[in-house]
Amino acid sequence: MNITQTWVGSTSRLPNVVLWIVQVFLAIIFLVAGFAMTFQPLNTLANTINWVSDIPAGMVRCIGISEILAAIGLIVPAIIGIWPQLTAFAASGVAFVMASASIFHFMRGEFFALPMTIVLTGLAAFVEYGRWKLAPLQ
């Protein structure tokens, strides 16, 4: 499968292009957040992310690595054409994690974080549905 088939595929072009835009957007968000949580000193990170100082450092690093892997999973399988259904699975995982993050922030009274986590949940669920039903990758 070449890159043209990956972008255009055998389905309608518009849903595929929209899904790619959302996938790249999500991947960038998770890559940036993942690198920050993985490599930035925790005391510096705690200045911008409130909950970092309330959970073990190892868990913060694990979340960061998981976010980097999620970003890779949203893009790489689709581009290289090897097990492209992994893109939908990655989106499913992201949707689950972001829904869980919404509950976490709600329980902590961090209502300012809810709009972002809810939007990211919806976008990831859209990619999951889209890659299974609207514009599956071959």
Side-chain angles (χ1 to χ4, degrees), residues 102-130:
S102 296
I103 295 167
F104 174 79
H105 289 298
F106 180 81
M107 291 175 62
R108 290 175 49 91
E110 297 171 346
F111 302 112
F112 60 89
L114 291 177
M116 178 63 86
T117 58
I118 291 169
V119 167
L120 292 175
T121 301
L123 290 174
F126 169 70
V127 170
E128 176 188 10
Y129 174 77

mmCIF file with all atom_site columns, all heavy atoms in Angstrom, residues 102-130:
data_model
loop_
_atom_site.group_PDB
_atom_site.id
_atom_site.type_symbol
_atom_site.label_atom_id
_atom_site.label_alt_id
_atom_site.label_comp_id
_atom_site.label_asym_id
_atom_site.label_entity_id
_atom_site.label_seq_id
_atom_site.pdbx_PDB_ins_code
_atom_site.Cartn_x
_atom_site.Cartn_y
_atom_site.Cartn_z
_atom_site.occupancy
_atom_site.B_iso_or_equiv
_atom_site.pdbx_formal_charge
_atom_site.auth_seq_id
_atom_site.auth_comp_id
_atom_site.auth_asym_id
_atom_site.auth_atom_id
_atom_site.pdbx_PDB_model_num
ATOM 1   N N   . SER A 1 102 ? -11.483 12.542 32.699 1.00 0.00 ? 102 SER A N   1
ATOM 2   C CA  . SER A 1 102 ? -12.622 13.419 33.002 1.00 0.00 ? 102 SER A CA  1
ATOM 3   C C   . SER A 1 102 ? -13.185 13.096 34.384 1.00 0.00 ? 102 SER A C   1
ATOM 4   O O   . SER A 1 102 ? -13.470 14.006 35.173 1.00 0.00 ? 102 SER A O   1
ATOM 5   C CB  . SER A 1 102 ? -13.724 13.261 31.946 1.00 0.00 ? 102 SER A CB  1
ATOM 6   O OG  . SER A 1 102 ? -13.278 13.684 30.687 1.00 0.00 ? 102 SER A OG  1
ATOM 7   N N   . ILE A 1 103 ? -13.345 11.814 34.676 1.00 0.00 ? 103 ILE A N   1
ATOM 8   C CA  . ILE A 1 103 ? -13.844 11.394 35.993 1.00 0.00 ? 103 ILE A CA  1
ATOM 9   C C   . ILE A 1 103 ? -12.861 11.802 37.082 1.00 0.00 ? 103 ILE A C   1
ATOM 10  O O   . ILE A 1 103 ? -13.257 12.334 38.134 1.00 0.00 ? 103 ILE A O   1
ATOM 11  C CB  . ILE A 1 103 ? -14.101 9.869  36.010 1.00 0.00 ? 103 ILE A CB  1
ATOM 12  C CG1 . ILE A 1 103 ? -15.237 9.528  35.044 1.00 0.00 ? 103 ILE A CG1 1
ATOM 13  C CG2 . ILE A 1 103 ? -14.407 9.378  37.423 1.00 0.00 ? 103 ILE A CG2 1
ATOM 14  C CD1 . ILE A 1 103 ? -15.370 8.052  34.731 1.00 0.00 ? 103 ILE A CD1 1
ATOM 15  N N   . PHE A 1 104 ? -11.566 11.592 36.842 1.00 0.00 ? 104 PHE A N   1
ATOM 16  C CA  . PHE A 1 104 ? -10.516 11.955 37.795 1.00 0.00 ? 104 PHE A CA  1
ATOM 17  C C   . PHE A 1 104 ? -10.592 13.450 38.123 1.00 0.00 ? 104 PHE A C   1
ATOM 18  O O   . PHE A 1 104 ? -10.601 13.838 39.294 1.00 0.00 ? 104 PHE A O   1
ATOM 19  C CB  . PHE A 1 104 ? -9.157  11.586 37.197 1.00 0.00 ? 104 PHE A CB  1
ATOM 20  C CG  . PHE A 1 104 ? -7.963  12.031 38.000 1.00 0.00 ? 104 PHE A CG  1
ATOM 21  C CD1 . PHE A 1 104 ? -7.551  11.335 39.119 1.00 0.00 ? 104 PHE A CD1 1
ATOM 22  C CD2 . PHE A 1 104 ? -7.222  13.142 37.611 1.00 0.00 ? 104 PHE A CD2 1
ATOM 23  C CE1 . PHE A 1 104 ? -6.448  11.724 39.850 1.00 0.00 ? 104 PHE A CE1 1
ATOM 24  C CE2 . PHE A 1 104 ? -6.111  13.549 38.322 1.00 0.00 ? 104 PHE A CE2 1
ATOM 25  C CZ  . PHE A 1 104 ? -5.724  12.841 39.457 1.00 0.00 ? 104 PHE A CZ  1
ATOM 26  N N   . HIS A 1 105 ? -10.648 14.286 37.086 1.00 0.00 ? 105 HIS A N   1
ATOM 27  C CA  . HIS A 1 105 ? -10.681 15.731 37.316 1.00 0.00 ? 105 HIS A CA  1
ATOM 28  C C   . HIS A 1 105 ? -11.995 16.172 37.972 1.00 0.00 ? 105 HIS A C   1
ATOM 29  O O   . HIS A 1 105 ? -11.991 17.062 38.822 1.00 0.00 ? 105 HIS A O   1
ATOM 30  C CB  . HIS A 1 105 ? -10.459 16.486 36.000 1.00 0.00 ? 105 HIS A CB  1
ATOM 31  C CG  . HIS A 1 105 ? -9.055  16.363 35.497 1.00 0.00 ? 105 HIS A CG  1
ATOM 32  N ND1 . HIS A 1 105 ? -7.966  16.830 36.187 1.00 0.00 ? 105 HIS A ND1 1
ATOM 33  C CD2 . HIS A 1 105 ? -8.563  15.803 34.360 1.00 0.00 ? 105 HIS A CD2 1
ATOM 34  C CE1 . HIS A 1 105 ? -6.861  16.572 35.515 1.00 0.00 ? 105 HIS A CE1 1
ATOM 35  N NE2 . HIS A 1 105 ? -7.199  15.940 34.400 1.00 0.00 ? 105 HIS A NE2 1
ATOM 36  N N   . PHE A 1 106 ? -13.093 15.549 37.613 1.00 0.00 ? 106 PHE A N   1
ATOM 37  C CA  . PHE A 1 106 ? -14.380 15.864 38.231 1.00 0.00 ? 106 PHE A CA  1
ATOM 38  C C   . PHE A 1 106 ? -14.331 15.555 39.727 1.00 0.00 ? 106 PHE A C   1
ATOM 39  O O   . PHE A 1 106 ? -14.757 16.371 40.550 1.00 0.00 ? 106 PHE A O   1
ATOM 40  C CB  . PHE A 1 106 ? -15.511 15.077 37.557 1.00 0.00 ? 106 PHE A CB  1
ATOM 41  C CG  . PHE A 1 106 ? -16.861 15.361 38.145 1.00 0.00 ? 106 PHE A CG  1
ATOM 42  C CD1 . PHE A 1 106 ? -17.571 16.495 37.768 1.00 0.00 ? 106 PHE A CD1 1
ATOM 43  C CD2 . PHE A 1 106 ? -17.408 14.503 39.090 1.00 0.00 ? 106 PHE A CD2 1
ATOM 44  C CE1 . PHE A 1 106 ? -18.808 16.766 38.326 1.00 0.00 ? 106 PHE A CE1 1
ATOM 45  C CE2 . PHE A 1 106 ? -18.655 14.767 39.650 1.00 0.00 ? 106 PHE A CE2 1
ATOM 46  C CZ  . PHE A 1 106 ? -19.355 15.900 39.268 1.00 0.00 ? 106 PHE A CZ  1
ATOM 47  N N   . MET A 1 107 ? -13.800 14.393 40.076 1.00 0.00 ? 107 MET A N   1
ATOM 48  C CA  . MET A 1 107 ? -13.723 13.998 41.484 1.00 0.00 ? 107 MET A CA  1
ATOM 49  C C   . MET A 1 107 ? -12.799 14.911 42.284 1.00 0.00 ? 107 MET A C   1
ATOM 50  O O   . MET A 1 107 ? -13.003 15.100 43.486 1.00 0.00 ? 107 MET A O   1
ATOM 51  C CB  . MET A 1 107 ? -13.271 12.544 41.596 1.00 0.00 ? 107 MET A CB  1
ATOM 52  C CG  . MET A 1 107 ? -14.315 11.562 41.104 1.00 0.00 ? 107 MET A CG  1
ATOM 53  S SD  . MET A 1 107 ? -13.760 9.857  41.095 1.00 0.00 ? 107 MET A SD  1
ATOM 54  C CE  . MET A 1 107 ? -13.424 9.574  42.812 1.00 0.00 ? 107 MET A CE  1
ATOM 55  N N   . ARG A 1 108 ? -11.814 15.481 41.640 1.00 0.00 ? 108 ARG A N   1
ATOM 56  C CA  . ARG A 1 108 ? -10.891 16.401 42.314 1.00 0.00 ? 108 ARG A CA  1
ATOM 57  C C   . ARG A 1 108 ? -11.402 17.841 42.320 1.00 0.00 ? 108 ARG A C   1
ATOM 58  O O   . ARG A 1 108 ? -10.762 18.721 42.867 1.00 0.00 ? 108 ARG A O   1
ATOM 59  C CB  . ARG A 1 108 ? -9.519  16.354 41.643 1.00 0.00 ? 108 ARG A CB  1
ATOM 60  C CG  . ARG A 1 108 ? -8.782  15.045 41.878 1.00 0.00 ? 108 ARG A CG  1
ATOM 61  C CD  . ARG A 1 108 ? -7.488  14.991 41.088 1.00 0.00 ? 108 ARG A CD  1
ATOM 62  N NE  . ARG A 1 108 ? -6.645  16.160 41.226 1.00 0.00 ? 108 ARG A NE  1
ATOM 63  C CZ  . ARG A 1 108 ? -5.686  16.318 42.134 1.00 0.00 ? 108 ARG A CZ  1
ATOM 64  N NH1 . ARG A 1 108 ? -5.438  15.346 42.992 1.00 0.00 ? 108 ARG A NH1 1
ATOM 65  N NH2 . ARG A 1 108 ? -4.959  17.414 42.177 1.00 0.00 ? 108 ARG A NH2 1
ATOM 66  N N   . GLY A 1 109 ? -12.550 18.071 41.663 1.00 0.00 ? 109 GLY A N   1
ATOM 67  C CA  . GLY A 1 109 ? -13.095 19.427 41.595 1.00 0.00 ? 109 GLY A CA  1
ATOM 68  C C   . GLY A 1 109 ? -12.362 20.319 40.613 1.00 0.00 ? 109 GLY A C   1
ATOM 69  O O   . GLY A 1 109 ? -12.473 21.533 40.671 1.00 0.00 ? 109 GLY A O   1
ATOM 70  N N   . GLU A 1 110 ? -11.620 19.719 39.690 1.00 0.00 ? 110 GLU A N   1
ATOM 71  C CA  . GLU A 1 110 ? -10.869 20.478 38.685 1.00 0.00 ? 110 GLU A CA  1
ATOM 72  C C   . GLU A 1 110 ? -11.737 20.643 37.429 1.00 0.00 ? 110 GLU A C   1
ATOM 73  O O   . GLU A 1 110 ? -11.442 20.101 36.366 1.00 0.00 ? 110 GLU A O   1
ATOM 74  C CB  . GLU A 1 110 ? -9.555  19.760 38.366 1.00 0.00 ? 110 GLU A CB  1
ATOM 75  C CG  . GLU A 1 110 ? -8.638  19.656 39.560 1.00 0.00 ? 110 GLU A CG  1
ATOM 76  C CD  . GLU A 1 110 ? -7.434  18.755 39.328 1.00 0.00 ? 110 GLU A CD  1
ATOM 77  O OE1 . GLU A 1 110 ? -7.398  17.997 38.351 1.00 0.00 ? 110 GLU A OE1 1
ATOM 78  O OE2 . GLU A 1 110 ? -6.516  18.822 40.166 1.00 0.00 ? 110 GLU A OE2 1
ATOM 79  N N   . PHE A 1 111 ? -12.788 21.400 37.590 1.00 0.00 ? 111 PHE A N   1
ATOM 80  C CA  . PHE A 1 111 ? -13.778 21.536 36.521 1.00 0.00 ? 111 PHE A CA  1
ATOM 81  C C   . PHE A 1 111 ? -13.228 22.267 35.292 1.00 0.00 ? 111 PHE A C   1
ATOM 82  O O   . PHE A 1 111 ? -13.723 22.078 34.188 1.00 0.00 ? 111 PHE A O   1
ATOM 83  C CB  . PHE A 1 111 ? -15.030 22.227 37.049 1.00 0.00 ? 111 PHE A CB  1
ATOM 84  C CG  . PHE A 1 111 ? -15.638 21.487 38.209 1.00 0.00 ? 111 PHE A CG  1
ATOM 85  C CD1 . PHE A 1 111 ? -15.629 22.030 39.481 1.00 0.00 ? 111 PHE A CD1 1
ATOM 86  C CD2 . PHE A 1 111 ? -16.181 20.228 38.026 1.00 0.00 ? 111 PHE A CD2 1
ATOM 87  C CE1 . PHE A 1 111 ? -16.185 21.340 40.553 1.00 0.00 ? 111 PHE A CE1 1
ATOM 88  C CE2 . PHE A 1 111 ? -16.743 19.525 39.089 1.00 0.00 ? 111 PHE A CE2 1
ATOM 89  C CZ  . PHE A 1 111 ? -16.731 20.087 40.360 1.00 0.00 ? 111 PHE A CZ  1
ATOM 90  N N   . PHE A 1 112 ? -12.195 23.057 35.482 1.00 0.00 ? 112 PHE A N   1
ATOM 91  C CA  . PHE A 1 112 ? -11.565 23.764 34.363 1.00 0.00 ? 112 PHE A CA  1
ATOM 92  C C   . PHE A 1 112 ? -10.943 22.778 33.367 1.00 0.00 ? 112 PHE A C   1
ATOM 93  O O   . PHE A 1 112 ? -10.787 23.096 32.194 1.00 0.00 ? 112 PHE A O   1
ATOM 94  C CB  . PHE A 1 112 ? -10.490 24.729 34.872 1.00 0.00 ? 112 PHE A CB  1
ATOM 95  C CG  . PHE A 1 112 ? -9.381  24.044 35.627 1.00 0.00 ? 112 PHE A CG  1
ATOM 96  C CD1 . PHE A 1 112 ? -8.266  23.556 34.961 1.00 0.00 ? 112 PHE A CD1 1
ATOM 97  C CD2 . PHE A 1 112 ? -9.469  23.871 36.999 1.00 0.00 ? 112 PHE A CD2 1
ATOM 98  C CE1 . PHE A 1 112 ? -7.251  22.907 35.659 1.00 0.00 ? 112 PHE A CE1 1
ATOM 99  C CE2 . PHE A 1 112 ? -8.457  23.220 37.702 1.00 0.00 ? 112 PHE A CE2 1
ATOM 100 C CZ  . PHE A 1 112 ? -7.347  22.740 37.024 1.00 0.00 ? 112 PHE A CZ  1
ATOM 101 N N   . ALA A 1 113 ? -10.586 21.578 33.814 1.00 0.00 ? 113 ALA A N   1
ATOM 102 C CA  . ALA A 1 113 ? -9.958  20.583 32.942 1.00 0.00 ? 113 ALA A CA  1
ATOM 103 C C   . ALA A 1 113 ? -10.981 19.767 32.158 1.00 0.00 ? 113 ALA A C   1
ATOM 104 O O   . ALA A 1 113 ? -10.631 19.124 31.169 1.00 0.00 ? 113 ALA A O   1
ATOM 105 C CB  . ALA A 1 113 ? -9.084  19.645 33.768 1.00 0.00 ? 113 ALA A CB  1
ATOM 106 N N   . LEU A 1 114 ? -12.227 19.787 32.581 1.00 0.00 ? 114 LEU A N   1
ATOM 107 C CA  . LEU A 1 114 ? -13.247 18.945 31.951 1.00 0.00 ? 114 LEU A CA  1
ATOM 108 C C   . LEU A 1 114 ? -13.509 19.251 30.481 1.00 0.00 ? 114 LEU A C   1
ATOM 109 O O   . LEU A 1 114 ? -13.626 18.312 29.691 1.00 0.00 ? 114 LEU A O   1
ATOM 110 C CB  . LEU A 1 114 ? -14.547 18.992 32.749 1.00 0.00 ? 114 LEU A CB  1
ATOM 111 C CG  . LEU A 1 114 ? -14.481 18.311 34.111 1.00 0.00 ? 114 LEU A CG  1
ATOM 112 C CD1 . LEU A 1 114 ? -15.809 18.490 34.853 1.00 0.00 ? 114 LEU A CD1 1
ATOM 113 C CD2 . LEU A 1 114 ? -14.119 16.857 33.983 1.00 0.00 ? 114 LEU A CD2 1
ATOM 114 N N   . PRO A 1 115 ? -13.611 20.503 30.069 1.00 0.00 ? 115 PRO A N   1
ATOM 115 C CA  . PRO A 1 115 ? -13.866 20.730 28.638 1.00 0.00 ? 115 PRO A CA  1
ATOM 116 C C   . PRO A 1 115 ? -12.812 20.093 27.737 1.00 0.00 ? 115 PRO A C   1
ATOM 117 O O   . PRO A 1 115 ? -13.150 19.456 26.737 1.00 0.00 ? 115 PRO A O   1
ATOM 118 C CB  . PRO A 1 115 ? -13.873 22.256 28.502 1.00 0.00 ? 115 PRO A CB  1
ATOM 119 C CG  . PRO A 1 115 ? -14.277 22.744 29.850 1.00 0.00 ? 115 PRO A CG  1
ATOM 120 C CD  . PRO A 1 115 ? -13.658 21.765 30.816 1.00 0.00 ? 115 PRO A CD  1
ATOM 121 N N   . MET A 1 116 ? -11.549 20.195 28.101 1.00 0.00 ? 116 MET A N   1
ATOM 122 C CA  . MET A 1 116 ? -10.482 19.621 27.281 1.00 0.00 ? 116 MET A CA  1
ATOM 123 C C   . MET A 1 116 ? -10.550 18.103 27.274 1.00 0.00 ? 116 MET A C   1
ATOM 124 O O   . MET A 1 116 ? -10.447 17.482 26.219 1.00 0.00 ? 116 MET A O   1
ATOM 125 C CB  . MET A 1 116 ? -9.110  20.078 27.778 1.00 0.00 ? 116 MET A CB  1
ATOM 126 C CG  . MET A 1 116 ? -7.972  19.475 26.988 1.00 0.00 ? 116 MET A CG  1
ATOM 127 S SD  . MET A 1 116 ? -7.962  19.941 25.260 1.00 0.00 ? 116 MET A SD  1
ATOM 128 C CE  . MET A 1 116 ? -7.080  21.461 25.345 1.00 0.00 ? 116 MET A CE  1
ATOM 129 N N   . THR A 1 117 ? -10.725 17.493 28.439 1.00 0.00 ? 117 THR A N   1
ATOM 130 C CA  . THR A 1 117 ? -10.764 16.033 28.472 1.00 0.00 ? 117 THR A CA  1
ATOM 131 C C   . THR A 1 117 ? -11.995 15.488 27.757 1.00 0.00 ? 117 THR A C   1
ATOM 132 O O   . THR A 1 117 ? -11.915 14.451 27.087 1.00 0.00 ? 117 THR A O   1
ATOM 133 C CB  . THR A 1 117 ? -10.708 15.491 29.913 1.00 0.00 ? 117 THR A CB  1
ATOM 134 O OG1 . THR A 1 117 ? -11.798 16.029 30.667 1.00 0.00 ? 117 THR A OG1 1
ATOM 135 C CG2 . THR A 1 117 ? -9.385  15.834 30.579 1.00 0.00 ? 117 THR A CG2 1
ATOM 136 N N   . ILE A 1 118 ? -13.108 16.182 27.854 1.00 0.00 ? 118 ILE A N   1
ATOM 137 C CA  . ILE A 1 118 ? -14.325 15.736 27.163 1.00 0.00 ? 118 ILE A CA  1
ATOM 138 C C   . ILE A 1 118 ? -14.172 15.876 25.651 1.00 0.00 ? 118 ILE A C   1
ATOM 139 O O   . ILE A 1 118 ? -14.553 14.976 24.890 1.00 0.00 ? 118 ILE A O   1
ATOM 140 C CB  . ILE A 1 118 ? -15.554 16.499 27.701 1.00 0.00 ? 118 ILE A CB  1
ATOM 141 C CG1 . ILE A 1 118 ? -15.841 16.055 29.141 1.00 0.00 ? 118 ILE A CG1 1
ATOM 142 C CG2 . ILE A 1 118 ? -16.770 16.278 26.810 1.00 0.00 ? 118 ILE A CG2 1
ATOM 143 C CD1 . ILE A 1 118 ? -16.853 16.913 29.878 1.00 0.00 ? 118 ILE A CD1 1
ATOM 144 N N   . VAL A 1 119 ? -13.594 16.964 25.192 1.00 0.00 ? 119 VAL A N   1
ATOM 145 C CA  . VAL A 1 119 ? -13.366 17.147 23.751 1.00 0.00 ? 119 VAL A CA  1
ATOM 146 C C   . VAL A 1 119 ? -12.401 16.089 23.223 1.00 0.00 ? 119 VAL A C   1
ATOM 147 O O   . VAL A 1 119 ? -12.641 15.482 22.165 1.00 0.00 ? 119 VAL A O   1
ATOM 148 C CB  . VAL A 1 119 ? -12.847 18.576 23.451 1.00 0.00 ? 119 VAL A CB  1
ATOM 149 C CG1 . VAL A 1 119 ? -12.299 18.680 22.037 1.00 0.00 ? 119 VAL A CG1 1
ATOM 150 C CG2 . VAL A 1 119 ? -13.957 19.596 23.671 1.00 0.00 ? 119 VAL A CG2 1
ATOM 151 N N   . LEU A 1 120 ? -11.315 15.828 23.946 1.00 0.00 ? 120 LEU A N   1
ATOM 152 C CA  . LEU A 1 120 ? -10.359 14.812 23.506 1.00 0.00 ? 120 LEU A CA  1
ATOM 153 C C   . LEU A 1 120 ? -10.988 13.418 23.501 1.00 0.00 ? 120 LEU A C   1
ATOM 154 O O   . LEU A 1 120 ? -10.700 12.609 22.613 1.00 0.00 ? 120 LEU A O   1
ATOM 155 C CB  . LEU A 1 120 ? -9.104  14.845 24.376 1.00 0.00 ? 120 LEU A CB  1
ATOM 156 C CG  . LEU A 1 120 ? -8.242  16.097 24.226 1.00 0.00 ? 120 LEU A CG  1
ATOM 157 C CD1 . LEU A 1 120 ? -7.082  16.078 25.228 1.00 0.00 ? 120 LEU A CD1 1
ATOM 158 C CD2 . LEU A 1 120 ? -7.726  16.262 22.810 1.00 0.00 ? 120 LEU A CD2 1
ATOM 159 N N   . THR A 1 121 ? -11.867 13.150 24.478 1.00 0.00 ? 121 THR A N   1
ATOM 160 C CA  . THR A 1 121 ? -12.597 11.876 24.483 1.00 0.00 ? 121 THR A CA  1
ATOM 161 C C   . THR A 1 121 ? -13.440 11.753 23.223 1.00 0.00 ? 121 THR A C   1
ATOM 162 O O   . THR A 1 121 ? -13.427 10.718 22.546 1.00 0.00 ? 121 THR A O   1
ATOM 163 C CB  . THR A 1 121 ? -13.500 11.763 25.726 1.00 0.00 ? 121 THR A CB  1
ATOM 164 O OG1 . THR A 1 121 ? -12.705 11.855 26.908 1.00 0.00 ? 121 THR A OG1 1
ATOM 165 C CG2 . THR A 1 121 ? -14.276 10.458 25.734 1.00 0.00 ? 121 THR A CG2 1
ATOM 166 N N   . GLY A 1 122 ? -14.171 12.814 22.904 1.00 0.00 ? 122 GLY A N   1
ATOM 167 C CA  . GLY A 1 122 ? -15.027 12.793 21.722 1.00 0.00 ? 122 GLY A CA  1
ATOM 168 C C   . GLY A 1 122 ? -14.251 12.645 20.426 1.00 0.00 ? 122 GLY A C   1
ATOM 169 O O   . GLY A 1 122 ? -14.645 11.882 19.535 1.00 0.00 ? 122 GLY A O   1
ATOM 170 N N   . LEU A 1 123 ? -13.135 13.351 20.317 1.00 0.00 ? 123 LEU A N   1
ATOM 171 C CA  . LEU A 1 123 ? -12.316 13.246 19.100 1.00 0.00 ? 123 LEU A CA  1
ATOM 172 C C   . LEU A 1 123 ? -11.732 11.844 18.939 1.00 0.00 ? 123 LEU A C   1
ATOM 173 O O   . LEU A 1 123 ? -11.722 11.288 17.839 1.00 0.00 ? 123 LEU A O   1
ATOM 174 C CB  . LEU A 1 123 ? -11.200 14.295 19.118 1.00 0.00 ? 123 LEU A CB  1
ATOM 175 C CG  . LEU A 1 123 ? -11.647 15.746 18.938 1.00 0.00 ? 123 LEU A CG  1
ATOM 176 C CD1 . LEU A 1 123 ? -10.460 16.687 19.138 1.00 0.00 ? 123 LEU A CD1 1
ATOM 177 C CD2 . LEU A 1 123 ? -12.289 15.956 17.587 1.00 0.00 ? 123 LEU A CD2 1
ATOM 178 N N   . ALA A 1 124 ? -11.262 11.271 20.039 1.00 0.00 ? 124 ALA A N   1
ATOM 179 C CA  . ALA A 1 124 ? -10.713 9.918  19.973 1.00 0.00 ? 124 ALA A CA  1
ATOM 180 C C   . ALA A 1 124 ? -11.806 8.912  19.627 1.00 0.00 ? 124 ALA A C   1
ATOM 181 O O   . ALA A 1 124 ? -11.580 7.992  18.826 1.00 0.00 ? 124 ALA A O   1
ATOM 182 C CB  . ALA A 1 124 ? -10.036 9.555  21.290 1.00 0.00 ? 124 ALA A CB  1
ATOM 183 N N   . ALA A 1 125 ? -12.993 9.076  20.194 1.00 0.00 ? 125 ALA A N   1
ATOM 184 C CA  . ALA A 1 125 ? -14.107 8.181  19.865 1.00 0.00 ? 125 ALA A CA  1
ATOM 185 C C   . ALA A 1 125 ? -14.499 8.329  18.397 1.00 0.00 ? 125 ALA A C   1
ATOM 186 O O   . ALA A 1 125 ? -14.836 7.345  17.727 1.00 0.00 ? 125 ALA A O   1
ATOM 187 C CB  . ALA A 1 125 ? -15.301 8.472  20.775 1.00 0.00 ? 125 ALA A CB  1
ATOM 188 N N   . PHE A 1 126 ? -14.433 9.549  17.883 1.00 0.00 ? 126 PHE A N   1
ATOM 189 C CA  . PHE A 1 126 ? -14.714 9.781  16.466 1.00 0.00 ? 126 PHE A CA  1
ATOM 190 C C   . PHE A 1 126 ? -13.699 9.041  15.583 1.00 0.00 ? 126 PHE A C   1
ATOM 191 O O   . PHE A 1 126 ? -14.080 8.412  14.590 1.00 0.00 ? 126 PHE A O   1
ATOM 192 C CB  . PHE A 1 126 ? -14.704 11.285 16.161 1.00 0.00 ? 126 PHE A CB  1
ATOM 193 C CG  . PHE A 1 126 ? -14.724 11.604 14.697 1.00 0.00 ? 126 PHE A CG  1
ATOM 194 C CD1 . PHE A 1 126 ? -15.860 11.361 13.937 1.00 0.00 ? 126 PHE A CD1 1
ATOM 195 C CD2 . PHE A 1 126 ? -13.606 12.147 14.078 1.00 0.00 ? 126 PHE A CD2 1
ATOM 196 C CE1 . PHE A 1 126 ? -15.884 11.649 12.574 1.00 0.00 ? 126 PHE A CE1 1
ATOM 197 C CE2 . PHE A 1 126 ? -13.616 12.430 12.721 1.00 0.00 ? 126 PHE A CE2 1
ATOM 198 C CZ  . PHE A 1 126 ? -14.762 12.179 11.972 1.00 0.00 ? 126 PHE A CZ  1
ATOM 199 N N   . VAL A 1 127 ? -12.424 9.107  15.936 1.00 0.00 ? 127 VAL A N   1
ATOM 200 C CA  . VAL A 1 127 ? -11.400 8.400  15.163 1.00 0.00 ? 127 VAL A CA  1
ATOM 201 C C   . VAL A 1 127 ? -11.641 6.892  15.246 1.00 0.00 ? 127 VAL A C   1
ATOM 202 O O   . VAL A 1 127 ? -11.558 6.185  14.233 1.00 0.00 ? 127 VAL A O   1
ATOM 203 C CB  . VAL A 1 127 ? -9.972  8.761  15.635 1.00 0.00 ? 127 VAL A CB  1
ATOM 204 C CG1 . VAL A 1 127 ? -8.930  7.851  15.004 1.00 0.00 ? 127 VAL A CG1 1
ATOM 205 C CG2 . VAL A 1 127 ? -9.668  10.222 15.313 1.00 0.00 ? 127 VAL A CG2 1
ATOM 206 N N   . GLU A 1 128 ? -11.947 6.416  16.434 1.00 0.00 ? 128 GLU A N   1
ATOM 207 C CA  . GLU A 1 128 ? -12.217 4.983  16.583 1.00 0.00 ? 128 GLU A CA  1
ATOM 208 C C   . GLU A 1 128 ? -13.374 4.557  15.669 1.00 0.00 ? 128 GLU A C   1
ATOM 209 O O   . GLU A 1 128 ? -13.251 3.615  14.890 1.00 0.00 ? 128 GLU A O   1
ATOM 210 C CB  . GLU A 1 128 ? -12.559 4.660  18.036 1.00 0.00 ? 128 GLU A CB  1
ATOM 211 C CG  . GLU A 1 128 ? -12.939 3.214  18.239 1.00 0.00 ? 128 GLU A CG  1
ATOM 212 C CD  . GLU A 1 128 ? -13.471 2.938  19.629 1.00 0.00 ? 128 GLU A CD  1
ATOM 213 O OE1 . GLU A 1 128 ? -13.727 3.874  20.408 1.00 0.00 ? 128 GLU A OE1 1
ATOM 214 O OE2 . GLU A 1 128 ? -13.646 1.740  19.930 1.00 0.00 ? 128 GLU A OE2 1
ATOM 215 N N   . TYR A 1 129 ? -14.494 5.253  15.768 1.00 0.00 ? 129 TYR A N   1
ATOM 216 C CA  . TYR A 1 129 ? -15.658 4.926  14.937 1.00 0.00 ? 129 TYR A CA  1
ATOM 217 C C   . TYR A 1 129 ? -15.330 5.101  13.454 1.00 0.00 ? 129 TYR A C   1
ATOM 218 O O   . TYR A 1 129 ? -15.661 4.256  12.628 1.00 0.00 ? 129 TYR A O   1
ATOM 219 C CB  . TYR A 1 129 ? -16.843 5.817  15.322 1.00 0.00 ? 129 TYR A CB  1
ATOM 220 C CG  . TYR A 1 129 ? -18.026 5.628  14.421 1.00 0.00 ? 129 TYR A CG  1
ATOM 221 C CD1 . TYR A 1 129 ? -18.854 4.520  14.560 1.00 0.00 ? 129 TYR A CD1 1
ATOM 222 C CD2 . TYR A 1 129 ? -18.311 6.548  13.417 1.00 0.00 ? 129 TYR A CD2 1
ATOM 223 C CE1 . TYR A 1 129 ? -19.938 4.337  13.717 1.00 0.00 ? 129 TYR A CE1 1
ATOM 224 C CE2 . TYR A 1 129 ? -19.397 6.370  12.573 1.00 0.00 ? 129 TYR A CE2 1
ATOM 225 C CZ  . TYR A 1 129 ? -20.211 5.258  12.733 1.00 0.00 ? 129 TYR A CZ  1
ATOM 226 O OH  . TYR A 1 129 ? -21.280 5.071  11.900 1.00 0.00 ? 129 TYR A OH  1
ATOM 227 N N   . GLY A 1 130 ? -14.675 6.193  13.144 1.00 0.00 ? 130 GLY A N   1
ATOM 228 C CA  . GLY A 1 130 ? -14.355 6.487  11.751 1.00 0.00 ? 130 GLY A CA  1
ATOM 229 C C   . GLY A 1 130 ? -13.456 5.457  11.114 1.00 0.00 ? 130 GLY A C   1
ATOM 230 O O   . GLY A 1 130 ? -13.638 5.087  9.953  1.00 0.00 ? 130 GLY A O   1
#
